[in-house]
Each structure stands twice: as C-alpha cells, then as structure tokens.
C-alpha cells in the first residue's frame, strides 16, 4: 500500500537507470582512476560470480552495473556513463550459448555502434567502448579486461596531459 514493492515488467529499462544512478553515487567516493563502468549480464556473469573475481583483481576503478540482459542496454545508458565521468565502458554478455534469449549480442552491438558514432562526433575515441563475451572459447576474460583497462589508462593519461598543457 505504501509502494514498498515496485513491480516491473521484465522489459522495463528503468532498472538500468536505477542501477547506474546507484553506481555513479558510489563512484564519487572512489579514488581509483581511470573510472570504467561495465554493464554486465546479471544472470550469466554477475549472478554466477564469474565476473566478480575479475572485478576484484582489476587494476582500475571498475564499477559493475548488473542488467537483466545486455540486449536491454540502450545507447543512452552508455552515453550517460560517459557523461557522468567514465573514461571507458564495457558490456559483458553471457554469450549466445549461455543465454536463454535470442539475438542478445546483435541488439547490444546495435546500441554500441550508435554510442560509438556519437563518441566519435564529440571527439572521444570509440575504442573507449568495448564488448566482452566472457564465455567465448579461447579468450581469457581476465586478460581481455586487463588489456581494455590499460588502453583506457592510456586515453586517460593522454587527456590529462592535454589538460595540463592547456592550463
């Protein structure tokens, strides 16, 4: 009666906004740089703990936004993460073999490409946005995330140097 329980349809994307708000409030207290935000499948990755070990071992300030499915992420969510101070963003899905839904990777990549075009238009490197399938055969997820973190660190350092030179 007091709206203590909020029922949502599974396709409701407000959950992503709420999770992103929570993460961004927590980030302000963090001193880790560069800031990287990962939108991760709640069931296949975050729920099983496969991503948790990567997150704890990460070399940067990586914050996870658990989502019901990576197909629900929209370009606006990605761009909002950048707007709030993220130097890099990644999307980690559970992979077509593990996922109960069809075409999740297709829809997530569609939104990524929209966001990359906008990043390019505003002068940010589109490589600041990556997708990972942590169950892909042959790819070591820890190594892929470390490489992405190093790349974002280089972008962060370059932008910091540019700002120093301007002042």
């Amino acid at each position: 009666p007091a709206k203590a329980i909020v029922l949502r349809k599974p396709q409701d994307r407000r959950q992503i906004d709420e999770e992103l708000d929570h993460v961004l409030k927590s980030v302000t207290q963090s001193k880790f740089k560069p800031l990287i935000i990962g939108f991760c499948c709640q069931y296949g990755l975050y729920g099983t703990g496969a991503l948790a070990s990567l997150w704890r071992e990460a070399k940067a300030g990586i914050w996870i936004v658990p989502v019901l499915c990576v197909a629900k992420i929209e370009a606006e969510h990605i761009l909002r993460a950048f707007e709030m101070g993220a130097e890099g963003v990644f999307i980690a899905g559970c992979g077509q073999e593990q996922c109960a839904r069809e075409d999740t990777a297709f829809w997530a990549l569609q939104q990524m490409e929209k966001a990359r075009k906008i990043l390019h238009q505003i002068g940010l490197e589109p490589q600041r946005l990556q997708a990972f399938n942590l169950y892909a055969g042959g790819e070591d997820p820890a190594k892929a995330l470390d490489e992405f973190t190093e790349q974002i660190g280089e972008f962060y350092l370059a932008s910091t140097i540019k700002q120093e030179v301007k002042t």
Side-chain angles (χ1 to χ4, degrees):
K3 295 186 180 183
I5 299 173
V6 177
L7 299 176
R8 292 188 203 108
K9 297 176 187 171
Q11 67 272 19
D12 192 349
R13 287 171 167 83
R14 284 181 298 171
Q15 175 261 346
I16 298 173
D17 289 326
E18 292 168 4
E19 292 289 343
L20 188 55
D21 283 340
H22 174 71
V23 166
L24 292 172
K25 286 177 186 171
S26 301
V27 163
T28 58
Q29 300 168 358
S30 172
K31 293 183 176 26
F32 289 107
K33 293 289 180 181
L35 170 63
I36 298 173
I37 294 179
F39 293 95
C40 301
C41 174
Q42 187 172 355
Y43 296 110
L45 297 173
Y46 192 77
T48 61
L51 193 63
S53 63
L54 296 179
W55 180 30
R56 283 188 214 104
E57 296 167 13
K59 299 175 183 174
I62 296 179
W63 291 84
I64 304 299
V65 177
V67 296
L68 296 175
C69 179
V70 294
K72 296 185 180 301
I73 300 166
E74 295 179 0
E76 291 80 17
H77 297 123
I78 298 166
L79 295 171
R80 185 156 171 254
F82 282 107
E83 179 184 0
M84 300 303 288
E87 295 289 331
V89 174
F90 69 92
I91 297 173
C94 54
Q96 208 59 41
E97 300 83 33
Q98 299 287 332
C99 189
R101 296 186 173 98
E102 290 184 29
D103 299 327
T104 56
F106 172 79
W107 294 113
L109 291 174
Q110 291 281 326
Q111 296 303 315
M112 277 185 58
E113 287 309 312
K114 276 186 190 178
R116 279 187 172 154
K117 286 178 184 175
I118 294 169
L119 290 175
H120 180 69
Q121 290 172 348
I122 62 173
L124 288 175
E125 299 84 356
Q127 299 87 350
R128 290 176 182 263
L129 175 59
Q130 293 293 326
F132 298 109
N133 173 2
L134 297 187
Y135 287 110
E139 182 182 21
D140 178 15
K143 183 178 177 188
L145 189 55
D146 280 345
E147 288 172 2
F148 179 65
T149 302
E150 287 177 26
Q151 183 180 25
I152 296 304
E154 291 170 10
F155 291 143
Y156 176 71
L157 181 60
S159 66
T160 302
I161 291 171
K162 275 184 191 176
Q163 287 179 343
E164 290 289 325
V165 169
K166 285 181 182 179
T167 57

